Amino acid sequence: TSQDFIVNAGATLTVEPGVTIKMGDQSSITMRGDILAIGTSAENIKFTSIYDTPVPGNWKYLRIESPSENSTLSYVRFEYGGRYFSTTALDARAMVSIYEATTTILNSVFENSQIAGLRATRFNGTISGSSFNTGTTTNTDRVGLYIYEGAPTISGSTFSTNYSGLTLESTN
């Protein structure tokens, strides 16, 4: 329940429709290569807690970082992740963290996270048809989608039950 899984640059992790990936405690997945998690409307892919009675923060994150260039998350449901500690880098404080990587996110769900549902840093990818629901409107850390720098394309997405649905920040 406390394992970190790393996919190195040049490799691709393919997750088939209908697959459920369960993680616990301090588990995380870091993608330096690409991830192709392409589900369907009938067979979503799910990243969730290993526990029978899950709570937000049961697992850390899926992180996609440079040099990943062609990752796609389509019809993927992320839930009960986002565990972090005071020593966790700010750009990794999310259930899904994208750092300087080109990624396409379509028709996906980010819900019941301990902190941000999706945090993207220097992100120029696409997010479309997705929903963000961290599960509370009272915790200031729970942001549905947090973008720090970049020029993403965001369309057709919904934000509900978040302290802040969408936060855009830049140093410029």
Side-chain angles (χ1 to χ4, degrees):
T1 61
S2 297
Q3 297 297 313
D4 294 322
F5 181 76
I6 298 172
V7 175
N8 289 319
T12 299
L13 173 64
T14 301
V15 184
E16 299 292 331
V19 168
T20 297
I21 297 173
K22 293 185 175 187
M23 296 188 280
D25 296 331
Q26 296 183 47
S27 298
S28 66
I29 298 173
T30 299
M31 302 297 309
R32 293 183 183 125
D34 294 322
I35 181 170
L36 300 176
I38 303 172
T40 67
S41 60
E43 290 187 288
N44 281 203
I45 294 166
K46 186 186 285 188
F47 288 77
T48 191
S49 171
I50 197 170
Y51 301 107
D52 292 335
T53 307
V55 296
N58 276 160
W59 55 279
K60 288 197 303 191
Y61 54 75
L62 167 67
R63 181 174 171 88
I64 304 168
E65 61 186 29
S66 179
S68 177
E69 294 181 353
N70 296 303
S71 290
T72 299
L73 306 172
S74 181
Y75 288 101
V76 181
R77 177 176 294 274
F78 297 94
E79 58 187 20
Y80 303 111
R83 183 179 184 124
Y84 72 100
F85 304 93
S86 61
T87 56
T88 303
L90 287 176
D91 58 73
R93 292 184 183 187
M95 187 162 44
V96 177
S97 169
I98 301 172
Y99 187 81
E100 296 182 344
T102 303
T103 305
T104 300
I105 301 168
L106 307 169
N107 305 305
S108 293
V109 176
F110 302 81
E111 62 186 0
N112 296 309
S113 178
Q114 184 179 5
I115 195 159
L118 170 61
R119 182 180 175 111
T121 302
R122 297 182 194 101
F123 176 68
N124 297 314
T126 299
I127 300 168
S128 180
S130 297
S131 69
F132 299 85
N133 171 0
T134 59
T136 186
T137 58
T138 58
N139 182 332
T140 59
D141 289 331
R142 292 204 183 167
V143 176
L145 172 58
Y146 188 106
I147 303 287
Y148 181 79
E149 297 185 342
T153 300
I154 303 168
S155 66
S157 296
T158 59
F159 302 87
S160 62
T161 320
N162 302 288
Y163 182 81
S164 173
L166 173 62
T167 298
L168 303 172
E169 186 177 344
S170 177
T171 56
N172 297 327

